[in-house]
Amino acid sequence: MGANTLKRRVVHTVQRLAVNPIGRNLPVTMIETTGRKSGQARRTAVGGRLIDNQFWLVSEHGEHSDYVKNIKANPAVRVRLHGTWRTGTAHLLPDDDPVARLGGLPTLNSAVVRLMGSDLLTIRIDLD
């Protein structure tokens, strides 16, 4: 097993068992996707920045992340910003430079994404 695979598994487990359950009950930014298998709403704590009418974020594990797999199956999402849910359409941007993009996003979250990430991927959500 490669270092990135092990890193991704450890981080995913911590996020699934601790970060996401706690985040669902705190006023943090969340993305809600539709489960590609279950069809159920799936919520994940994310960090990013609203710029005009677009929400920008970088996925730590790119196409290995469950929420990214869900976006690929159905790009209609909701984002909770400052306690308010907004609908939008997510776009995966593999040609964008995710490290450069992190420079314009919140500093603490960007540092965690750089540290914990294994396969960074920029995502833009066009909000309705």
Side-chain angles (χ1 to χ4, degrees):
M1 177 182 323
N4 277 345
T5 301
L6 178 60
K7 184 179 196 179
R8 189 169 43 251
R9 284 186 179 177
V10 170
V11 171
H12 175 76
T13 300
V14 170
Q15 288 173 334
R16 184 174 51 84
L17 297 176
V19 175
N20 288 339
I22 292 168
R24 287 183 195 106
N25 297 310
L26 295 175
V28 297
T29 302
M30 302 284 293
I31 184 171
E32 182 180 85
T33 60
T34 301
R36 63 197 176 282
K37 296 177 186 175
S38 69
Q40 301 295 312
R42 300 293 184 212
R43 293 181 178 173
T44 304
V46 295
R49 174 162 285 146
L50 182 64
I51 301 172
D52 296 322
N53 208 30
Q54 298 173 325
F55 184 76
W56 291 84
L57 69 143
V58 173
S59 169
E60 293 171 327
H61 305 301
E63 295 194 20
H64 299 284
S65 296
D66 286 330
Y67 76 93
V68 173
K69 292 175 185 177
N70 291 341
I71 288 169
K72 286 179 79 173
N74 180 356
V77 300
R78 292 194 321 151
V79 180
R80 184 175 70 188
L81 299 166
H82 309 292
T84 301
W85 286 100
R86 297 185 59 187
T87 59
T89 304
H91 303 276
L92 306 179
L93 304 174
D95 294 331
D96 191 70
D97 181 347
V99 174
R101 180 69 56 191
L102 286 169
L105 300 180
T107 306
L108 179 58
N109 181 76
S110 293
V112 171
V113 169
R114 281 188 195 97
L115 177 67
M116 303 307 286
S118 62
D119 189 19
L120 305 181
L121 174 67
T122 301
I123 301 171
R124 184 190 78 231
I125 300 171
D126 296 333
L127 300 171
D128 297 337

